[in-house]
């Protein structure tokens, strides 16, 4: 018996219920309205100046977070179309109504657009800097006891003051977790509910439905590999979980989003590395040949993909194209993407019962030929692109910049909203933080214990940092140097 039901999973409700009747002239579905809210938002536009792989790159070709998100959105829609048709035509699940096909596609398309909307500057490297900073510095921060109790003397370590979950939120910081916070709170429109997107969409972007205290990177259960929500956002998370009847499970659409994300970034990393001159056609072919199964036959799918790359190169030369290498790689990538989409679709259909029961605890591509392909592409990209000297050099610079920002802003917010007058430098820094973010802080910190307020002030800084673009981060660091 299925533990999750499509009529709940595709929930069109929002956390904030409209107080006025919706116009009957608007014929859009709630999920179509989500799409328009997203693409017209400043939070989405800022992705155009955020790193995908290469920080502050001057090339117009390589991906940014915006172009990556558009590609993921496209793959999400394709997967939604093929999977929903097969649920209807092959599995004949009567609980999956015909109109659900469009709902699934619309939700997935939107999820692809916002899945990285919470990422800090400089890609995943920025996440690492934030985690590292708090692990190394939180025990060095001190808070005056007089702000905790009348007549208190001396100082207490912030490390002792915060709860284990509050600290773990920073130690396990994730851009994916921040995405939920951005769209439910920080993108301030009318009130404190952010974009106020549908609960079906919100649940789709929660890849890991556990708190920071439940993270277990070595677990066979993929749901525990990273955290899915902050202590500060538990109320919203619980509301979404209850409304969709998830019972701690991942929304099945989350599996599809993840497969689309993997397909997009792994193939894009190869293409971008080639365009930057870090990986040649000959090197790619060599690596693919080296990873072929020793006993592979000519009808083996991976063998066929390797042969296809050669054939495409030959065809490019036949056309007299000066860029036969580029022609081969770009067209080969399109074929690989098609293969991964096919494998993910097959996996969803073949594992449908366990996915709907919440007992499928892997990625969709696990156990498929597509998994072999993604592992190889990931290994090639890591060695040729992620370990390249230009990227390492830029990451070192990004480390310095983000660390400088945290060094300045964390001490500056410690006494914010405590009644204690800030020194001139701290006040200048606090003034730089978005008024919207500070408004959200005041809404959610009202009547909270002092330790929780402090936690929310630290989060105010990470909110501010994650809202920065790469270029803004660079400019801000210049200002900090002048301030010193």
């Amino acid at each position: 018996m299925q533990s999750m039901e499509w009529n709940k999973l595709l929930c069109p409700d929002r956390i904030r219920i409209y107080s006025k009747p919706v116009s009957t002239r608007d014929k859009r579905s709630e999920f179509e309205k989500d799409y328009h809210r997203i693409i017209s938002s400043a939070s989405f536009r800022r992705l155009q100046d955020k790193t995908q792989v290469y920080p502050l790159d001057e090339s117009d070709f390589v991906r940014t977070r915006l172009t990556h998100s558009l590609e993921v959105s496209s793959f999400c829609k394709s997967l939604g179309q093929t999977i929903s048709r097969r649920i209807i035509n092959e599995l004949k699940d009567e609980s999956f109504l015909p109109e659900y096909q469009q709902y699934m596609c619309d939700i997935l398309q939107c999820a692809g657009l916002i899945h990285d909307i919470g990422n800090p500057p400089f890609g995943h490297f920025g996440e690492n800097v934030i985690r590292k900073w708090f692990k190394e510095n939180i025990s060095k921060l001190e808070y005056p006891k007089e702000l905790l109790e009348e007549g208190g003397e001396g100082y207490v370590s912030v490390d002792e003051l915060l709860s284990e979950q509050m600290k773990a939120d920073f130690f396990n910081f994730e851009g994916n977790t921040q995405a939920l916070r951005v769209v439910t709170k920080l993108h301030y429109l009318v009130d404190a509910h952010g974009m106020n997107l549908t609960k079906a969409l919100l649940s789709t972007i929660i890849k890991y439905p556990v708190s920071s205290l439940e993270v277990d990177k070595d677990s066979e259960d993929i749901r525990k590999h990273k955290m899915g929500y902050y202590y500060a956002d538990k109320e919203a998370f619980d509301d979404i979980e209850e409304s969709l009847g998830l019972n701690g499970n991942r929304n099945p659409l989350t599996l599809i989003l993840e497969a689309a994300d993997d397909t997009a970034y792994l193939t894009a990393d190869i293409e971008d590395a080639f365009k930057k001159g870090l990986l040649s056609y000959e090197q790619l072919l060599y690596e693919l040949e080296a990873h072929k199964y020793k006993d592979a036959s000519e009808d083996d799918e991976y063998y066929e993909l390797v042969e296809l790359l050669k054939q495409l190169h030959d065809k490019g030369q036949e056309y007299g194209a000066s860029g036969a290498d580029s022609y081969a790689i770009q067209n080969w990538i399109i074929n690989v993407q098609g293969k991964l989409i096919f494998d993910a679709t097959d996996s969803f259909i073949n594992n449908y019962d366990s996915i709907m029961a919440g007992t499928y605890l892997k990625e969709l591509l696990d156990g498929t030929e597509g998994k072999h392909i993604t592992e190889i592409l990931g290994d090639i990209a890591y060695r040729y692109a992620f370990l390249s000297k230009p990227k390492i050099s830029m990451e070192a610079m990004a480390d310095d910049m983000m660390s400088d920002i945290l060094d300045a802003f964390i001490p500056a917010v410690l006494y914010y909203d405590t009644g204690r007058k800030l020194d001139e430098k701290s006040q200048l820094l606090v003034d730089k933080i978005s008024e919207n973010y500070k408004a959200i802080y005041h809404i959610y910190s009202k009547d909270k214990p002092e330790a929780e307020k402090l936690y929310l002030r630290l989060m105010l800084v990470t909110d501010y940092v994650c809202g920065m673009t790469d270029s803004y981060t660079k400019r801000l660091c210049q200002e900090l140097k002048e301030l010193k």
Side-chain angles (χ1 to χ4, degrees), residues 51 64 74 113 122 138 177 199 215 237 242-243 332 340 347 353 384 395 413 441 449:
T51 295
T64 63
S74 175
L113 294 178
F122 312 120
I138 201 165
T177 310
K199 293 180 184 180
V215 173
F237 174 81
E242 183 179 355
S243 297
W332 181 78
L340 295 178
S347 178
D353 289 341
Y384 284 86
E395 285 183 346
V413 301
Y441 161 78

Side-chain angles (χ1 to χ4, degrees), residues 377-436:
L377 295 183
D379 176 62
I380 294 171
Y382 177 74
R383 289 186 288 111
Y384 284 86
F386 288 82
L387 294 182
S388 64
K389 288 183 179 179
K391 187 171 189 303
I392 292 173
S393 176
M394 290 300 293
E395 285 183 346
M397 182 176 71
D399 190 346
D400 290 342
M401 287 192 289
M402 289 193 65
S403 295
D404 285 348
I405 289 172
L406 292 169
D407 285 342
F409 279 86
I410 293 293
V413 301
L414 287 182
Y415 304 142
Y416 173 64
D417 189 40
T418 64
R420 174 179 284 200
K421 183 176 175 61
L422 300 182
D423 61 56
E424 185 178 359
K425 179 182 175 183
S426 294
Q427 188 63 58
L428 284 170
L429 293 172
V430 169
D431 288 345
K432 287 183 175 294
I433 298 176
S434 164
E435 292 301 322
N436 285 348

Side-chain angles (χ1 to χ4, degrees), residues 44-95:
F44 180 66
R45 289 195 299 275
R46 275 196 290 268
L47 294 176
Q48 66 186 310
D49 189 17
K50 287 196 175 188
T51 295
Q52 174 62 17
V53 175
Y54 304 99
L56 299 169
D57 194 86
E58 296 180 357
S59 169
D60 290 331
F61 178 86
V62 299
R63 270 84 172 175
T64 63
R65 282 287 167 192
L66 179 64
T67 52
H68 166 70
S69 297
L70 292 170
E71 289 175 343
V72 174
S73 178
S74 175
F75 291 140
C76 275
K77 186 174 183 179
S78 295
L79 281 163
Q81 288 170 334
T82 56
I83 289 173
S84 58
R85 286 172 190 159
R86 292 182 66 177
I87 292 173
I88 293 172
N89 298 328
E90 293 179 30
L91 301 180
K92 301 188 184 302
D93 182 350
E94 295 181 358
S95 72

Side-chain angles (χ1 to χ4, degrees), residues 236-282:
F237 174 81
D238 288 343
D239 185 356
I240 296 164
E241 281 266 307
E242 183 179 355
S243 297
L244 273 68
L246 291 171
N247 300 314
N249 298 315
R250 287 172 133 194
N251 188 325
L253 300 189
T254 304
L255 300 175
I256 301 173
L257 168 62
E258 192 170 51
D261 190 16
D262 290 346
T263 298
Y265 84 78
L266 286 167
T267 53
D269 288 350
I270 296 297
E271 187 176 13
D272 286 354
F274 170 75
K275 287 292 183 179
K276 288 185 68 64
L278 303 173
L279 175 69
S280 67
Y281 163 79
E282 289 78 11

Side-chain angles (χ1 to χ4, degrees), residues 1-65:
M1 183 177 181
Q2 296 177 357
S3 62
M4 289 184 279
E5 303 170 11
W6 284 113
N7 64 329
K8 291 185 177 180
L9 291 172
L10 303 177
C11 176
D13 296 343
R14 303 176 189 276
I15 293 177
R16 175 172 65 82
I17 301 172
Y18 294 110
S19 57
K20 295 181 180 180
V22 179
S23 171
T24 56
R25 291 181 296 177
D26 192 342
K27 301 301 181 183
R28 296 174 299 168
S29 72
E30 293 302 316
F31 309 121
E32 289 173 318
K33 293 174 187 175
D34 280 347
Y35 180 84
H36 294 113
R37 291 182 184 206
I38 293 164
I39 62 171
S40 62
S41 71
S43 300
F44 180 66
R45 289 195 299 275
R46 275 196 290 268
L47 294 176
Q48 66 186 310
D49 189 17
K50 287 196 175 188
T51 295
Q52 174 62 17
V53 175
Y54 304 99
L56 299 169
D57 194 86
E58 296 180 357
S59 169
D60 290 331
F61 178 86
V62 299
R63 270 84 172 175
T64 63
R65 282 287 167 192

